[in-house]
């Protein structure tokens, strides 16, 4: 059997170069984090799918619109929305609310949560904000970090590995799985917010919605194409496994049924004649639209770390951080670092936690990983996001902040 | 002029033509992406990154609650269903495992 980097059932070849449109200009190579793009200057390029993490940074930066996605769930989602027996649940990521307005003529970066909810409601979705799941991620991933930290300080030989890496970016996770398998124990075992949301929508959510889980169709809306590949991982059917253990005999279903990018959600709204810009604001329809400021900043580089520190500080010291904005992890520097010294109630001593934040993975991650491999890393907790700036600049976002490719088809 | 040198001249003509085609291809690429394309692209990119970043920081700043552990819906989830972070149900539903992709076939 030939080697592959895909598990059975996973989407392969999501991002493809159309050789007839490619001018061989090499722009995509400069934006590819994994050196997956092959081809000489001036000749048509192609993507090595085994190296590719599906992030579409090449796609959004190709000046000739020569790169395309091979999977779209728009038609399927529209069919499900028309089916009255199905509850279709939209799971919008943080970054969607500051970008989808661009597709409807609103300014770059406009925050349109209420209008987005309104348009989703009009289209027939229930709303399960992925930001709620981001808050849940912080509870799990933060607790996990504190657990590893305490076990390490106490000298427990089975303490989980430090530094702990964040695990919410599927581009980064696939990269590590493909290139540095020896570092997998360092990844937080917490699922990404998308995957937590899908699982919760079909377990606890089935109670809240009073629906049979197999009649709930979960549609995550992501700034990210790699999230499509993530949702297709065969192990992500935990809601089905849970209900099976409870005696359900329903046929297998995934936790996340479909993934739309921000661009695709805008297209779906347009196909359904919904103008987001003129849609009145809507507040949401269940506890799953309640989220905090910590959940929403997951979309920017440093945001997961900042959110985690806010909660870890409270758990360790018993009091809230005096100033919630944690400036050292903000901004566009490739690798940001910070040290936080705090009094740990459980250990009755001061502890210093060293954190690092890496984005624009292809340009910044290697030295960090080399240190971790060599055992010389000074960090305890490292956030990694594949895309420059974080998910707000993901490969599924409106192109160039204007909703259209800057050169179009030449 | 000897026949030989004539052949040589012809040879060198074809050589330079091939070279010319190669240069032409590179030139086409250079035309496609003018000098400075990359840096101006990065500049524009960083502008929309900043605009969207501001949008999310604003969402945080205006939020009534700004820390995950204070989300009442999250509290409700654990109380009515999930138990506690890292608990049994969290292990089954909210955590995962990873795959060594160098060993797949
Ligand atoms: S950026 Fe687009 S046109 Fe240029 S080499 Fe890559 S795929 Fe081809
Ligand atoms: S999708 Fe991402 S990893 Fe794949 S070729 Fe494009 S830039 Fe590279
Ligand atoms: S940084 Fe965000 S948008 Fe980019 S690949 Fe990772 S999860 Fe997707």
């Amino acid at each position: 059997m030939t080697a592959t980097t895909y598990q059975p059932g996973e989407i392969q070849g999501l991002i493809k170069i159309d050789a007839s449109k490619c001018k061989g200009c090499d722009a995509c190579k400069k934006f590819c984090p994994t050196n997956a793009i092959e081809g000489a200057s001036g000749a048509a390029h192609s993507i090595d799918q085994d190296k590719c993490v599906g992030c579409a940074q090449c796609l959004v930066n190709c000046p000739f619109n020569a790169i395309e996605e091979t999977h779209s769930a728009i038609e399927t989602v529209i069919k499900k929305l028309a089916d009255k027996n199905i509850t279709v649940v939209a799971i919008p990521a943080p970054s969607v609310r500051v970008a989808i307005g661009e597709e409807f003529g609103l300014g770059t970066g406009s925050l349109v949560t209420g209008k987005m909810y309104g348009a989703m409601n009009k289209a027939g979705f229930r709303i399960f904000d992925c930001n709620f799941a981001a808050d849940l991620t912080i509870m799990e991933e933060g607790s996990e970090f504190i657990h590893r930290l305490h076990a390490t300080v106490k000298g427990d030989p089975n303490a989980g590995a430090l530094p702990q890496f964040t695990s919410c970016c599927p581009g980064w996770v696939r990269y590590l799985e493909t290139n540095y398998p020896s570092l997998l124990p360092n990844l937080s075992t917490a699922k990404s917010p998308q995957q937590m949301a899908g699982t919760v929508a079909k377990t606890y959510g089935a109670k809240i919605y009073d629906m049979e889980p197999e009649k709930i169709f979960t549609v995550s809306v992501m700034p990210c194409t790699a999230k499509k590949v993530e949702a297709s991982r065969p192990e992500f059917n935990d809601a089905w496994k849970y209900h099976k253990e409870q005696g359900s005999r329903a046929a297998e279903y995934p936790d996340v049924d479909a993934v739309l990018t921000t661009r695709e959600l805008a297209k779906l709204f347009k196909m359904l004649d919904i103008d987001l810009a003129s849609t009145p604001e809507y507040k949401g329809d269940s506890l799953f639209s309640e989220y905090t400021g910590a959940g929403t900043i997951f979309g920017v580089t440093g945001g997961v770390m900042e959110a985690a520190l806010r909660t870890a500080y409270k758990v360790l010291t018993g009091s809230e951080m005096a100033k919630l904005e944690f400036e050292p992890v903000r901004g566009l520097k490739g690798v940001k670092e910070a040290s936080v010294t705090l009094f740990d109630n459980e250990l009755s001593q001061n502890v210093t936690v060293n954190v690092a934040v890496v984005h624009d993975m292809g340009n910044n991650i290697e030295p960090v990983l080399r240190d971790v491999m060599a055992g010389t890393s000074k960090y305890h907790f490292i956030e990694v996001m594949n895309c420059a700036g974080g998910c707000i600049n993901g490969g599924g976002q409106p192109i160039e902040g204007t909703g259209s490719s800057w050169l179009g088809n030449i | 002029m000897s026949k030989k040198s004539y052949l040589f001249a012809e040879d060198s003509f074809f050589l330079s033509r091939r070279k010319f085609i190669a240069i032409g291809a590179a030139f086409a690429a250079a035309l496609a992406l003018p000098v400075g394309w990359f840096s101006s692209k990065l500049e524009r990119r960083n502008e929309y990154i900043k605009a969207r970043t501001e949008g999310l920081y604003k969402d945080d700043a205006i939020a009534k609650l700004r820390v995950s552990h204070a989300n009442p819906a999250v509290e409700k989830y654990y109380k009515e269903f999930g138990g506690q972070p890292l608990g049994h149900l969290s292990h089954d539903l909210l955590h995962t495992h990873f795959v060594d992709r160098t060993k797949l076939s």
Side-chain angles (χ1 to χ4, degrees):
Chain A
M1 285 223 252
T2 48
T4 168
T5 62
Y6 292 90
Q7 300 186 79
E10 288 177 339
I11 294 179
Q12 301 187 30
L14 176 66
I15 309 297
K16 215 179 112 223
I17 296 177
D18 180 343
S20 71
K21 287 188 187 169
C22 176
K23 304 266 190 278
C25 71
D26 281 349
C28 50
K29 287 188 180 175
K30 296 199 173 79
F31 288 95
C32 177
T34 64
N35 291 322
I37 301 174
E38 297 165 345
S41 295
H45 288 18
S46 63
I47 295 174
D48 178 343
Q49 294 303 336
D50 281 324
K51 286 188 188 165
C52 175
V53 295
C55 69
Q57 280 303 317
C58 53
L59 184 154
V60 291
N61 289 298
C62 168
F64 300 100
N65 253 345
I67 310 184
E68 58 200 20
E69 274 190 81
T70 58
H71 286 69
S72 172
I74 297 181
E75 300 292 339
T76 313
V77 173
I78 288 178
K79 270 194 213 118
K80 295 288 174 186
L81 284 169
D83 184 340
K84 292 293 157 249
N85 295 315
I86 304 277
T87 296
V88 185
V89 180
I91 304 170
S95 302
V96 180
R97 71 207 65 209
V98 290
I100 193 161
E102 294 163 17
E103 299 272 5
F104 294 89
L106 302 172
T108 309
S110 306
L111 175 66
V112 296
T113 317
K115 284 181 181 295
M116 179 185 76
Y117 280 11
M120 284 175 164
N121 184 48
K122 256 194 215 169
F125 290 105
R126 300 292 301 258
I127 296 151
F128 186 125
D129 204 311
C130 203
N131 286 8
F132 164 86
D135 281 329
L136 215 48
T137 302
I138 287 302
M139 298 308 288
E140 295 294 334
E141 189 164 359
S143 303
E144 183 185 9
F145 174 66
I146 290 168
H147 187 78
R148 290 189 191 195
L149 185 74
H150 280 168
T152 304
V153 173
K154 289 173 185 163
D156 179 347
N158 296 319
L162 289 179
Q164 174 175 305
F165 293 124
T166 56
S167 56
C168 30
C169 169
W172 151 240
V173 168
R174 188 175 146 75
Y175 181 73
L176 203 69
E177 290 179 319
T178 308
N179 298 290
Y180 296 92
S182 69
L183 295 181
L184 292 179
N186 294 74
L187 270 176
S188 162
T189 62
K191 283 181 183 173
S192 71
Q194 162 175 284
Q195 294 307 134
M196 286 198 188
T199 312
V200 171
K202 293 187 178 192
T203 53
Y204 182 49
K207 292 181 208 278
I208 298 290
Y209 296 135
D210 195 17
M211 269 309 265
E212 291 156 51
E214 54 272 25
K215 291 192 178 153
I216 296 174
F217 190 82
T218 44
V219 182
S220 76
V221 185
M222 295 284 137
C224 178
T225 47
K227 287 279 170 190
K228 296 184 181 186
V229 185
E230 178 184 41
S232 75
R233 294 177 66 127
E235 66 270 25
F236 285 148
N237 58 359
D238 288 325
W240 174 74
K241 282 182 218 141
Y242 170 85
H243 291 293
K244 194 169 163 227
E245 263 171 39
Q246 313 265 311
S248 163
R249 301 172 68 175
E252 186 178 342
Y253 48 81
D255 294 327
V256 175
D257 290 289
V259 180
L260 298 178
T261 61
T262 308
R263 289 194 297 274
E264 287 170 330
L265 180 68
K267 194 167 162 202
L268 179 140
F269 286 157
K270 287 172 186 171
M271 286 164 80
L272 299 178
D273 267 329
I274 297 170
D275 174 28
L276 180 138
S278 61
T279 302
E281 305 218 340
Y282 178 68
K283 280 221 160 328
D285 53 46
S286 75
L287 79 160
F288 299 130
S289 349
E290 290 173 35
Y291 68 84
T292 72
T296 210
I297 57 175
F298 258 60
V300 301
T301 170
V304 178
M305 187 57 75
E306 187 169 333
L309 286 174
R310 291 180 189 179
T311 288
Y313 191 93
K314 165 73 169 131
V315 173
L316 291 173
T317 66
S319 44
E320 301 285 350
M321 269 169 110
K323 185 173 187 290
L324 291 176
E325 293 82 4
F326 194 63
E327 298 295 340
V329 297
R330 296 189 171 196
L332 287 179
K333 203 170 152 231
V335 180
K336 292 165 279 187
E337 50 177 35
S339 288
V340 185
T341 302
L342 44 78
F343 188 78
D344 185 324
N345 280 340
E346 190 184 321
L347 300 173
S348 303
Q349 68 181 67
N350 274 326
V351 292
T352 297
V353 178
N354 298 328
V355 304
V357 171
V358 182
H359 68 123
D360 195 1
M361 181 183 81
N363 287 319
N364 298 309
I365 196 68
E366 293 305 323
V368 176
L369 294 182
R370 267 201 299 276
D371 283 352
V372 177
M373 300 268 279
T376 54
S377 175
K378 60 183 175 201
Y379 305 125
H380 303 109
F381 199 178
I382 304 178
E383 175 201 293
V384 186
M385 293 192 194
N386 175 75
C387 302
C391 307
I392 41 144
N393 175 39
Q397 292 283 61
I399 294 186
E400 282 252 326
T402 61
S404 63
S405 177
W406 71 288
L407 277 180
N409 289 307
I410 291 183
Chain B
M1 225 187 257
S2 74
K3 212 178 175 193
K4 218 175 170 197
S5 72
Y6 174 75
L7 273 177
F8 177 72
E10 194 176 55
D11 237 353
S12 79
F13 170 74
F14 280 111
L15 261 179
S16 61
R17 223 178 96 85
R18 235 177 272 131
K19 231 181 179 172
F20 177 76
I21 291 166
I23 291 166
F27 191 59
L31 261 186
L33 294 184
V35 181
W37 179 86
F38 187 63
S39 59
S40 81
K41 174 86 191 167
L42 284 187
E43 223 168 86
R44 285 197 308 282
R45 183 191 75 178
N46 289 348
E47 265 164 39
Y48 63 80
I49 287 178
K50 277 185 198 136
R52 291 172 185 164
T53 301
E54 271 166 32
L56 282 186
Y57 282 143
K58 177 178 154 202
D59 200 22
D60 172 32
I62 62 174
K64 274 191 221 91
L65 298 166
R66 298 180 64 192
V67 292
S68 300
H69 51 274
N71 185 338
V74 167
E75 197 181 319
K76 197 157 178 258
Y77 165 81
Y78 283 115
K79 206 164 143 222
E80 289 187 357
F81 184 76
Q84 55 185 10
L86 306 186
H88 170 70
L89 217 50
S90 288
H91 177 266
D92 286 357
L93 301 180
L94 305 182
H95 287 257
T96 186
H97 61 271
F98 302 101
V99 175
D100 178 349
R101 292 186 185 271
T102 62
K103 296 210 165 64
L104 298 176
S105 60

